[in-house]
Amino acid sequence: MYTIFKKEINVFFDSLYGIIIFSIFFLINGLFIWIFPSSNIFQYGISSLEIFFDVVPYIFILFISSITMKIISEERSLGTFEILLSQPISYKEIILAKFLSCWFLSIFLIFLTFPYWITIYYLSNPLGSIDNIIILNSYIGLILLVGAMNSIGIFFSSIFQNQIISFLSSCFIFYLLYEGIDMINFYDSINLIDSFIDHFTFSYHYSNFTKGIFQISSLIYFIIVMITFFYFSLVNLRINLK
Amino acid sequence: MKKKIISIILNDLTKFFSLSTIFSLLIIYIYFSYKNIRFDLTSDKRYTLSSSSIKTIKSINDPVNFKIFLSGELPPGMKYLKSEINRIMIDIKDHNKKNIKYEFVDLDNLSDNEKNLFIDKLISKNIKLYVFNNSLNSPI
């Protein structure tokens, strides 16, 4: 299991692919947070990383689907998945290793935004007047959100052998889960129990974390999404390959 | 195909990654979201009641009925406000279950007479009324 984990991370860092993903991620983030006039921190005038945590899920919708799109579908279309199966490891270990490597990479991406925190700390006036615990809590929320997204991305990668289709479908599902379901609230003709729909969306649970609330049910929600899609991809591989 | 899926799912039930874990986690989720256990980590405790307001709530001996005019066909932002107010009211009620009652009232459900009476009452208390024209909703 560890060898697959190491291999996935090596593939990412050894090739141009990883460098491009890293550089574009930081370029987009930096532009949104420090330069673009509608959303930069200087015009916002409040020393918090709220803007960063509002923007970054949308960026991750694209980036996580591009990290996970090839993870299983490439191996299946090239036929190397059969070689992997001939080794003495189970399906569970294969998917777990791939899931953990993707999650590790996304956490690494998040971890490298740490300088923003330091910058905000020194920009604030009086020095250090930022709510560190809220930012820490938001980082925990972001890591959980990213884990749930990775699990869904791997599921779609295991369904489709074509990378583009797995990319597009996981993008769509991320958006649907992040914000799309919430749009039902805009229609008054659909009378659902208020805030019932909220429990299905990422944005509701994630916004709890960014507001500075640690809600146990939100933590469990992300774990449920992770385990559910992990299990779905496990079942899917067993059906198609046995 | 269907038989295969069902047999795989049934075989898994005792393992960790299985439908049984997912369902048990769902039950735990429903329990915790019903109990609404949350830790307020903000430095100014923005989302919890302060100790002085808890004291005042506990000192109430007469029944108090809150009427919150925030119901019916609301735009999404207001729905969010409503759920937040609802959460605070649950917190308040927890400290004095006997005397505090609250309800959300929809102005559109009242008859025209009642509505006009209510609006007159508000105006007599020097409260300015603004009518929002929402394309989806009828104004008050």
Side-chain angles (χ1 to χ4, degrees):
Chain A
M1 198 179 114
Y2 179 67
T3 17
I4 302 174
F5 178 79
K6 222 169 101 182
K7 173 240 160 195
E8 288 298 337
I9 285 169
N10 281 340
V11 164
F12 193 83
F13 285 108
D14 285 348
S15 58
L16 199 64
Y17 164 77
I19 298 167
I20 288 174
I21 283 191
F22 266 61
S23 46
I24 293 177
F25 179 79
F26 287 107
L27 200 65
I28 296 177
N29 257 331
L31 282 173
F32 266 110
I33 293 155
W34 306 105
I35 292 162
F36 284 168
S38 57
S39 66
N40 80 46
I41 274 175
F42 305 109
Q43 283 188 347
Y44 191 57
I46 298 167
S47 59
S48 74
L49 277 178
E50 219 172 279
I51 291 171
F52 167 67
F53 289 112
D54 279 351
V55 167
V56 88
Y58 294 99
I59 300 169
F60 266 128
I61 285 175
L62 289 173
F63 278 83
I64 288 180
S65 28
S66 62
I67 289 173
T68 55
M69 70 174 183
K70 72 171 185 61
I71 210 87
I72 292 172
S73 61
E74 191 186 38
E75 299 223 34
R76 279 183 67 190
S77 60
L78 289 177
T80 48
F81 203 75
E82 267 73 33
I83 302 170
L84 209 59
L85 289 178
S86 65
Q87 304 301 314
I89 35 171
S90 61
Y91 289 106
K92 198 166 75 189
E93 282 175 314
I94 295 171
I95 304 174
L96 198 61
K98 290 193 181 270
F99 169 67
L100 288 179
S101 65
C102 287
W103 201 8
F104 177 81
L105 288 173
S106 0
I107 290 173
F108 193 70
L109 273 176
I110 293 168
F111 180 72
L112 289 181
T113 61
F114 191 68
Y116 295 160
W117 191 353
I118 300 168
T119 318
I120 282 289
Y121 182 87
Y122 281 104
L123 277 175
S124 60
N125 184 26
L127 186 70
S129 60
I130 54 167
D131 211 332
N132 288 311
I133 298 171
I134 290 184
I135 295 177
L136 194 67
N137 199 42
S138 314
Y139 270 117
I140 294 170
L142 192 61
I143 287 169
L144 286 170
L145 174 80
V146 156
M149 281 175 157
N150 272 319
S151 186
I152 297 170
I154 287 171
F155 169 64
F156 279 105
S157 178
S158 76
I159 288 184
F160 301 113
Q161 293 200 12
N162 190 328
Q163 290 183 31
I164 306 288
I165 296 174
S166 88
F167 172 79
L168 286 175
S169 48
S170 51
C171 263
F172 173 67
I173 293 295
F174 289 163
Y175 183 72
L176 203 68
L177 275 173
Y178 188 71
E179 221 182 35
I181 309 174
D182 215 26
M183 298 297 166
I184 296 175
N185 279 335
F186 282 80
Y187 288 94
D188 293 322
S189 51
I190 307 166
N191 271 318
L192 284 159
I193 313 156
D194 283 346
S195 76
F196 168 73
I197 281 292
D198 285 345
H199 289 278
F200 295 100
T201 56
F202 281 164
S203 57
Y204 167 73
H205 295 285
Y206 174 65
S207 69
N208 269 339
F209 280 102
T210 53
K211 275 189 297 188
I213 300 168
F214 188 84
Q215 204 169 359
I216 295 172
S217 56
S218 300
L219 177 74
I220 297 169
Y221 170 81
F222 285 121
I223 294 170
I224 288 175
V225 175
M226 271 184 239
I227 291 181
T228 310
F229 282 92
F230 186 91
Y231 181 61
F232 283 172
S233 41
L234 205 66
V235 170
N236 176 55
L237 280 186
R238 278 200 204 137
I239 292 164
N240 288 328
L241 293 171
K242 234 173 198 175
Chain B
M1 186 74 179
K2 256 185 193 171
K3 267 185 186 172
K4 212 175 170 185
I5 297 172
I6 292 167
S7 71
I8 285 174
I9 287 170
L10 286 179
N11 276 330
D12 279 352
L13 280 179
T14 50
K15 292 172 187 165
F16 177 71
F17 291 107
S18 66
L19 280 187
S20 48
T21 2
I22 293 167
F23 276 115
S24 45
L25 273 172
L26 264 179
I27 290 162
I28 297 170
Y29 171 78
I30 291 165
Y31 173 77
F32 275 111
S33 57
Y34 177 73
K35 276 265 169 184
N36 202 14
I37 298 172
R38 34 152 64 183
F39 303 102
D40 193 347
L41 299 176
T42 50
S43 57
D44 49 353
K45 296 285 170 217
R46 228 173 289 163
Y47 302 98
T48 37
L49 296 170
S50 65
S51 56
S52 59
S53 48
I54 290 173
K55 236 181 218 171
T56 28
I57 292 162
K58 279 188 175 166
S59 66
I60 295 172
N61 291 321
D62 305 315
V64 178
N65 199 3
F66 289 92
K67 271 187 183 174
I68 303 156
F69 292 93
L70 197 69
S71 189
E73 296 178 355
L74 299 169
M78 288 287 145
K79 271 184 187 166
Y80 183 70
L81 179 69
K82 189 188 164 186
S83 70
E84 283 295 307
I85 288 175
N86 194 25
R87 201 166 270 167
I88 292 170
M89 289 312 296
I90 290 170
D91 276 2
I92 290 174
K93 214 186 162 182
D94 273 347
H95 292 291
N96 197 341
K97 276 183 183 162
K98 220 178 172 185
N99 293 320
I100 287 174
K101 275 178 188 164
Y102 71 94
E103 55 177 334
F104 286 92
V105 182
D106 187 359
L107 264 188
D108 290 334
N109 280 349
L110 299 176
S111 65
D112 284 347
N113 226 347
E114 276 179 313
K115 210 189 284 180
N116 287 333
L117 265 174
F118 174 71
I119 289 170
D120 287 343
K121 217 163 129 189
L122 283 185
I123 290 169
S124 70
K125 284 178 183 170
N126 267 336
I127 293 169
K128 279 181 186 170
L129 272 186
Y130 295 96
V131 176
F132 290 99
N133 273 317
N134 193 327
S135 59
L136 285 167
N137 302 339
S138 56
I140 309 172

